[in-house]
Amino acid sequence: MKKYKLVLLAFLSVCVYCACVEDKGNYDYIELNDMTIQPLEKKYTVELFSQVKIAPEITLKTGTFNPDNYTYLWMLYTIFSDPFTADTLSLEKDLDIEISALPRDYQLHYQVKDKETGLICTQTTEFTVINSFSMGLMALSRVNDDANLTFINVLDQITEDAYEKINGEIAGKNPKGLRLIGDGMLSDANPTVMIMTDDERGGTVINSRDLVSIMDFSEMFYFKLETVKPQVFMKNEFAIIEFVINDGGIYKRDVMGNGFYPKYGVKLKGDYEYMAPFEFHDMSVAYFYDQVKQRFMYMPGPMQGNSVIELNDIATEEPNPEDPGKVVIGAFNPNDVGLHMLWGGLFGQDYAKKYGRAVMEDEEGERYLLSFEAIPGPDFMPLHKFHVSTEGIKEAKTFTTSQNGTFLYYAYKNKIVCVSFSSGMVVNTYEFADGQRVDYVECDQKNNINHLWVGVSDGSKAKQSGSIVIMDMSTDGSLKEVTRYENVCGQIVDFEYKE
């Protein structure tokens, strides 16, 4: 592997050394003396075993271009990956081959060399090889209480009943969630997809590249679980620790240096009873919410311990008038929230997830919006607590927010309502046609952060009774339908984008 790296570095050094080569990037033409080479596309995405044809147009300022006066090299290589690969695709002027490289991201390198002068001109661009399931949107739905998986890859090819077609069985009963795990930058684990179900298996772990089943959820632990009830998987792109909440208990695994399929250890200690099934995971700290004690807790970085602890006390200039014995700062006391969590999470870019958002409910069924900002310490600053009585809020069962946490989107009946987290007021409402029920909404947090994924159906849970709608979110909270995949699923319960 080191040999190939040295060869590639030497090869690239030659290209850089030729100062007379002017490379203006993918959007400008590149001149080699009197020759102009039309630039490659910014990115190519191709399917495994498909035929790839790229024919750069080469012209001269004077005279006629003669291909015989030049040598050519098409090269495909990986950078910052293990194992490193570098393959010569062609020595012809035009690329015309069947792609057999493993599905992943590559760099495509094109070189033209003048035989007489030895001058070299190069272009490099992104090149991604996919198979039917290597990259795209996964949708988990309920079809007559069976877990059903629909896959839409980046070439817009739709595979219904994807898990069943590949594995010859259903993934389980009563689907609950879908999560890609083990794929972080610091992870040595094989990326896998977890299909969570509320049955005796708890769901199944599948290979992220081909969707082949690897093991049941219960086999992901070093010991036998008393209760098999997966609720949420927690991860961060830059963290080496991943968590799972099973039946209110917290379990963790180290994804660095522990094999392809690292297992989860014993239940974490701490003064908690039943953690809410929602994800509050930054790169250096993980927050949790105890549904019984109704308070936030955390595991401090670098998350090598085996206990979750209380947050530090938060002081204020003024005591809480309702309880002189307690002092709080901001809109609520995270150590004594006093509400049940219906939905929540920590949002933002992977290296800076700091926007805490939640929908809460009191004993009378009244609902509240909470927002806080995570700050190093670890503490967080409570920002807002609004009692909300907006249209359909008490009927809503699905909630989401975008990466910057500006708006809450919730659905009821055939409507999606947008509420501001900073005011608690309705900003916009989107209404689907009569007979279409909105079953689930989720903002894309990674691939296109301006997209909202929506699952709609007729409510029957029958096969092909549901559709997937991709919507654009504007800065004013309004929504616009972009793409619709009609009748490709049942009743949607979760989405996950797989890169």
Side-chain angles (χ1 to χ4, degrees):
M1 179 174 69
K2 186 178 294 185
K3 176 182 176 182
Y4 286 119
K5 288 184 178 178
L6 292 174
V7 170
L8 179 61
L9 288 173
F11 168 72
L12 295 178
S13 298
V14 172
C15 300
V16 174
Y17 180 76
C18 298
C20 57
V21 176
E22 183 182 5
D23 187 347
K24 297 181 180 179
N26 286 323
Y27 296 101
D28 297 316
Y29 285 81
I30 302 166
E31 295 187 1
L32 176 57
N33 292 345
D34 65 342
M35 182 175 68
T36 301
I37 304 176
Q38 184 182 12
L40 303 176
E41 293 181 10
K42 185 177 180 180
K43 182 176 182 177
Y44 295 87
T45 300
V46 302
E47 193 167 9
L48 181 64
F49 303 128
S50 65
Q51 195 73 18
V52 175
K53 297 182 180 182
I54 304 175
E57 182 182 346
I58 301 176
T59 58
L60 300 179
K61 288 184 177 178
T62 58
T64 302
F65 172 72
N66 184 355
D68 295 334
N69 293 337
Y70 304 87
T71 63
Y72 312 92
L73 173 65
W74 292 90
M75 194 173 188
L76 196 66
Y77 62 88
T78 58
I79 294 182
F80 307 125
S81 66
D82 190 8
F84 171 81
T85 62
D87 296 318
T88 297
L89 300 181
S90 175
L91 299 177
E92 302 296 328
K93 172 189 170 293
D94 298 338
L95 185 66
D96 186 0
I97 62 166
E98 180 183 276
I99 286 294
S100 58
L102 291 175
R104 66 186 309 168
D105 293 327
Y106 296 91
Q107 295 288 309
L108 177 65
H109 193 82
Y110 179 49
Q111 173 185 293
V112 180
K113 181 178 180 181
D114 190 314
K115 291 180 180 179
E116 181 179 351
T117 65
L119 292 176
I120 295 173
C121 180
T122 66
Q123 289 190 54
T124 302
T125 190
E126 298 178 33
F127 194 93
T128 300
V129 180
I130 68 168
N131 60 25
S132 297
F133 309 111
S134 58
M135 182 182 298
L137 180 63
M138 298 179 289
L140 181 66
S141 66
R142 183 189 303 270
V143 174
N144 301 322
D145 293 330
D146 292 342
N148 186 271
L149 187 66
T150 299
F151 196 97
I152 305 172
N153 72 14
V154 292
L155 300 179
D156 246 11
Q157 298 170 338
I158 304 171
T159 304
E160 299 179 41
D161 310 315
Y163 179 89
E164 188 173 352
K165 287 178 179 177
I166 293 169
N167 296 283
E169 62 176 9
I170 62 170
K173 295 285 188 179
N174 306 312
K176 294 298 180 182
L178 192 63
R179 195 68 166 112
L180 174 64
I181 57 176
D183 64 323
M185 289 186 64
L186 303 177
S187 174
D188 295 324
N190 274 358
T192 54
V193 176
M194 181 65 216
I195 299 176
M196 290 170 274
T197 55
D198 189 9
D199 56 18
E200 65 279 357
R201 295 173 61 188
T204 181
V205 184
I206 60 179
N207 188 296
S208 69
R209 292 199 178 276
D210 55 20
L211 308 188
V212 172
S213 178
I214 300 170
M215 67 182 87
D216 286 349
F217 167 74
S218 59
E219 298 176 73
M220 301 181 73
F221 295 79
Y222 284 114
F223 56 91
K224 184 176 181 180
L225 289 168
E226 292 184 9
T227 303
V228 178
K229 192 177 182 67
Q231 294 166 296
V232 68
F233 283 81
M234 299 173 58
K235 66 166 189 175
N236 185 277
E237 180 74 16
F238 297 94
I240 63 173
I241 300 297
E242 294 184 345
F243 299 92
V244 62
I245 296 180
N246 177 78
D247 194 33
I250 311 167
Y251 304 83
K252 73 167 191 175
R253 69 173 186 171
D254 189 335
V255 294
M256 179 179 284
N258 284 304
F260 292 146
Y261 304 107
K263 294 182 181 291
Y264 291 89
V266 297
K267 180 179 176 181
L268 297 188
K269 300 176 182 178
D271 185 17
Y272 70 94
E273 295 190 38
Y274 200 93
M275 290 303 187
F278 304 107
E279 185 174 2
F280 296 88
H281 194 351
D282 192 9
M283 63 184 293
S284 61
V285 63
Y287 297 96
F288 305 91
Y289 187 79
D290 189 338
Q291 293 282 45
V292 178
K293 295 181 179 292
Q294 297 186 332
R295 64 178 182 178
F296 286 94
M297 301 182 74
Y298 77 101
M299 170 169 275
M303 297 183 284
Q304 296 299 320
N306 290 303
S307 298
V308 289
I309 59 179
E310 298 179 22
L311 290 164
N312 298 331
D313 288 334
I314 301 177
T316 183
E317 297 177 2
E318 299 292 335
N320 183 348
E322 298 180 0
D323 187 347
K326 295 181 180 179
V327 289
V328 297
I329 188 169
F332 60 92
N333 183 355
N335 292 309
D336 185 18
V337 181
L339 297 168
H340 182 83
M341 184 176 288
L342 298 175
W343 167 87
L346 199 62
F347 301 91
Q349 296 179 337
D350 276 319
Y351 58 84
K353 286 189 175 181
K354 62 179 182 179
Y355 306 111
R357 302 292 185 262
V359 177
M360 315 294 285
E361 187 176 63
D362 65 15
E363 293 180 353
E364 285 73 40
E366 297 298 314
R367 295 192 170 181
Y368 301 80
L369 302 187
L370 297 189
S371 60
F372 65 86
E373 184 171 334
I375 53 179
D379 285 318
F380 57 60
M381 177 66 68
L383 298 177
H384 302 288
K385 175 185 176 182
F386 294 110
H387 172 247
V388 285
S389 56
T390 52
E391 61 169 316
I393 186 66
K394 290 188 177 182
E395 300 175 53
K397 295 181 180 179
T398 178
F399 312 87
T400 190
T401 190
S402 60
Q403 191 181 85
N404 60 16
T406 303
F407 302 116
L408 171 75
Y409 295 92
Y410 68 86
Y412 81 103
K413 296 181 180 178
N414 67 331
K415 297 180 180 181
I416 300 176
V417 181
C418 175
V419 176
S420 169
F421 266 112
S422 60
S423 68
M425 304 297 292
V426 172
V427 177
N428 267 295
T429 300
Y430 186 92
E431 187 170 352
F432 287 89
D434 291 340
Q436 291 187 322
R437 188 182 74 174
V438 182
D439 298 313
Y440 185 77
V441 291
E442 181 178 338
C443 291
D444 186 345
Q445 301 293 331
K446 203 164 189 177
N447 182 56
N448 187 330
I449 62 174
N450 296 316
H451 276 178
L452 175 68
W453 302 321
V454 183
V456 297
S457 74
D458 62 11
S460 68
K461 303 178 187 178
K463 185 178 176 65
Q464 297 182 326
S465 63
S467 302
I468 298 169
V469 183
I470 312 297
M471 311 193 79
D472 260 338
M473 300 179 291
S474 297
T475 54
D476 62 358
S478 61
L479 298 173
K480 179 182 179 182
E481 185 171 321
V482 177
T483 308
R484 177 181 286 255
Y485 303 97
E486 198 77 36
N487 303 123
V488 296
C489 56
Q491 184 185 80
I492 292 288
V493 300
D494 202 3
F495 291 109
E496 182 81 329
Y497 190 84
K498 188 163 70 70
E499 293 183 310

